[in-house]
Amino acid sequence: HQVNRDVKDLDNTSKSLSKTQIDLEERLKKVTSIWFLSDVKRNGVVHLLQNKEPGCFIVRQSSKPNAMALSVCLPFTKGPHVEHYLIEDNGDGRLHLEGSENYFTCVIDLIVHYCHRCDELPVQLLLPLVLMKANALELTWYSHFGEKFWHHLSQHQMQTRDTTQSTFANPLFDL
């Protein structure tokens, strides 16, 4: 019986490690299809981020030529529910938020930076909790949803509010 318990403990430890050993940059790369939605317009992004955790974000193509927009869900105490920040290319391939002196070689580096510190933003960026808790296989699976992930996340949040139990029959979030 001790061997079975040891195997179970080892299995639980490896599952836990597989989740924690994925750094933020790697997580962002695995789920780029969820947070980088170049074809979604401003109003669509506002709809997708509606009622999400403060700090959740989507990067999209800006209506301004050669620029992108970072749309961020804010707490109600910090202004409009979703605020938009221009990501500009300074001409040599380096990116920065409009008015910022922080320059980055790629969008992922910019996102990682603002996940660790606010600087010009009113909140730190963050991935939805389900993505932060996911292991590599789960992240790959979630990435196939792309934009639809945000709709499933909304359904998940509504179910969580409507039930006192932490478990429910939603295959997207009950892996």
Side-chain angles (χ1 to χ4, degrees):
H1 294 297
Q2 180 62 36
V3 173
N4 287 340
R5 272 187 259 145
D6 289 345
V7 169
K8 271 187 180 175
D9 289 345
L10 182 60
D11 187 46
N12 288 338
T13 302
S14 67
K15 284 180 183 176
S16 175
L17 286 175
S18 68
K19 291 181 182 188
T20 58
Q21 288 183 338
I22 305 169
D23 70 6
L24 179 60
E25 184 175 348
E26 189 62 29
R27 280 183 192 282
L28 288 165
K29 287 177 182 177
K30 286 185 176 293
V31 296
T32 301
S33 63
I34 291 171
W35 61 264
F36 187 78
L37 302 175
S38 60
D39 295 335
V40 179
K41 303 292 184 225
R42 181 184 183 115
N43 288 340
V45 167
V46 169
H47 176 73
L48 293 174
L49 290 175
Q50 186 176 3
N51 298 319
K52 302 302 183 287
E53 278 185 80
C56 285
F57 65 93
I58 292 174
V59 175
R60 61 184 173 79
Q61 199 59 47
S62 172
S63 56
K64 182 178 176 182
N66 301 317
M68 291 177 280
L70 171 64
S71 301
V72 183
C73 186
L74 301 180
F76 291 107
T77 59
K78 299 225 179 196
H81 186 59
V82 176
E83 189 63 67
H84 310 276
Y85 303 90
L86 199 60
I87 301 174
E88 299 178 315
D89 183 335
N90 70 343
D92 67 357
R94 294 186 313 151
L95 305 172
H96 65 100
L97 291 183
E98 182 179 37
S100 174
E101 294 183 18
N102 296 314
Y103 288 86
F104 308 93
T105 57
C106 65
V107 175
I108 287 191
D109 289 348
L110 182 144
I111 298 300
V112 167
H113 175 84
Y114 290 105
C115 283
H116 291 297
R117 59 192 63 80
C118 296
D119 290 341
E120 301 83 14
L121 299 177
V123 295
Q124 283 179 241
L125 300 180
L126 61 85
L127 286 172
L129 188 58
V130 69
L131 296 178
M132 290 306 294
K133 288 184 170 185
N135 63 35
L137 183 62
E138 293 165 340
L139 289 172
T140 300
W141 188 74
Y142 287 133
S143 72
H144 295 292
F145 284 89
E147 178 184 338
K148 291 178 183 174
F149 169 84
W150 297 100
H151 298 289
H152 288 288
L153 187 60
S154 293
Q155 291 172 353
H156 170 73
Q157 289 172 329
M158 283 189 287
Q159 287 175 342
T160 303
R161 283 188 212 119
D162 293 344
T163 183
T164 56
Q165 297 178 357
S166 62
T167 60
F168 37 80
N170 186 335
L172 178 63
F173 294 93
D174 292 338
L175 295 175

